[in-house]
Amino acid sequence: MGDSKTINKASHETWTHADRVHRWTAMAAKSIAVTKIITVKASFTVQQAFETLSDENVLSAPIFDENAHKYVGVIDIVDIVSYLAQNFKEDEEGHALANWKEVIKAKNEFFATPVTELADFSHRNPFRSLPDTCSLLDVMKEFATGLKRVFLTSPKGELNGLITQTTVLKYLSQHNRELGDVVKLKLSELDLGEKHVITIKDSDKAIDAFKVMASKVSCLPIKRFSFH
């Protein structure tokens, strides 16, 4: 992480805005990237992809088309939730399928769905890559548009790294002195976070939570209601 301009790390409090911009511009994104990237094949079914995510304890994975020799998308847990929310069948009175044969049939059809059909189904998780020579600032600009992750690729199209919002937050928390006075501000002063928090009751059905997540958010706080 050698900067072309020497900045004394012991005096972060004296850095100017130009110093900080230079820091983020000069810092190679690959220096903090995750290099172990779990992938799924384009020929996978949803069940195979889901098992891969579960076994590897990850929430998403890029999809690689072995015939085209390129990455064709990303499968994310939110995509799976969105698909279930859109295709979940209820009767005219709003009741879930009651016939066990229909339930099994629906489950089998879902798990047999090609994983490529669910890639970015939520329209929130496109496959976005940058050259592995890019700076950390380049990646942060992508996150500012709403992206959750950016892949770093070689000139040959090989995946050399992955940077998520969590990756950047972890780095910033470990180097918060470099952010200057902004770390002293309250969240309200930075206008961060939603003023209206979307919640769901613990008595609500899981599919109702899925439908809310599919249309608005990636997670939901659960409110517990006690009756005495």
Side-chain angles (χ1 to χ4, degrees):
M1 297 188 296
D3 293 352
S4 58
K5 176 181 177 182
T6 301
I7 301 176
N8 185 355
K9 292 184 179 180
S11 57
H12 292 149
E13 65 276 4
T14 66
W15 284 12
T16 65
H17 177 69
D19 290 332
R20 293 188 173 88
V21 169
H22 172 78
R23 169 71 170 175
W24 302 124
T25 303
M27 182 175 177
K30 63 183 179 182
S31 64
I32 67 168
V34 175
T35 55
K36 181 184 177 182
I37 303 174
I38 306 302
T39 64
V40 299
K41 298 178 181 179
S43 59
F44 274 13
T45 62
V46 167
Q47 179 170 354
Q48 290 172 306
F50 188 81
E51 288 174 351
T52 299
L53 296 180
S54 178
D55 291 344
E56 298 294 341
N57 195 29
V58 294
L59 298 177
S60 64
I63 302 171
F64 185 72
D65 188 324
E66 293 181 307
N67 294 323
H69 302 289
K70 66 178 183 179
Y71 290 92
V72 294
V74 175
I75 180 65
D76 187 286
I77 288 297
V78 175
D79 297 320
I80 296 176
V81 167
S82 297
Y83 185 91
L84 288 172
Q86 182 170 312
N87 292 277
F88 184 78
K89 297 179 181 179
E90 296 178 326
D91 61 24
E92 295 180 355
E93 297 181 358
H95 298 301
L97 294 174
N99 186 299
W100 65 270
K101 290 184 179 180
E102 291 181 344
V103 172
I104 292 176
K105 180 182 177 182
K107 184 201 74 170
N108 291 339
E109 289 178 350
F110 168 65
F111 279 129
T113 303
V115 68
T116 50
E117 288 190 18
L118 268 68
D120 197 26
F121 193 88
S122 63
H123 303 296
R124 283 185 264 171
N125 301 295
F127 180 87
R128 179 73 173 104
S129 65
L130 290 176
D132 56 11
T133 55
C134 72
S135 70
L136 181 58
L137 184 61
D138 293 328
V139 174
M140 292 171 75
K141 287 179 179 178
E142 293 292 334
F143 288 160
T145 68
L147 287 177
K148 293 182 178 180
R149 65 184 68 82
V150 172
F151 296 94
L152 305 181
T153 57
S154 70
K156 294 182 179 181
E158 301 167 329
L159 288 190
N160 284 342
L162 166 64
I163 296 184
T164 65
Q165 292 176 334
T166 302
T167 308
V168 174
L169 286 173
K170 182 178 180 180
Y171 175 83
L172 293 178
S173 69
Q174 294 172 343
H175 300 80
N176 61 76
R177 292 181 60 191
E178 298 177 15
L179 298 176
D181 292 338
V182 68
V183 297
K184 301 177 183 179
L185 298 176
K186 298 179 180 179
L187 293 179
S188 58
E189 294 177 292
L190 294 171
D191 196 28
L192 294 176
E194 293 287 341
K195 293 180 173 61
H196 173 64
V197 179
I198 300 173
T199 63
I200 194 164
K201 300 189 296 294
D202 58 356
S203 58
D204 289 334
K205 293 183 292 185
I207 190 62
D208 294 329
F210 291 169
K211 289 178 179 179
V212 174
M213 292 173 65
S215 62
K216 297 179 181 179
V217 294
S218 298
C219 61
L220 280 173
I222 300 174
K223 296 181 68 174
R224 176 171 297 175
F225 286 80
S226 300
F227 298 93
H228 301 285

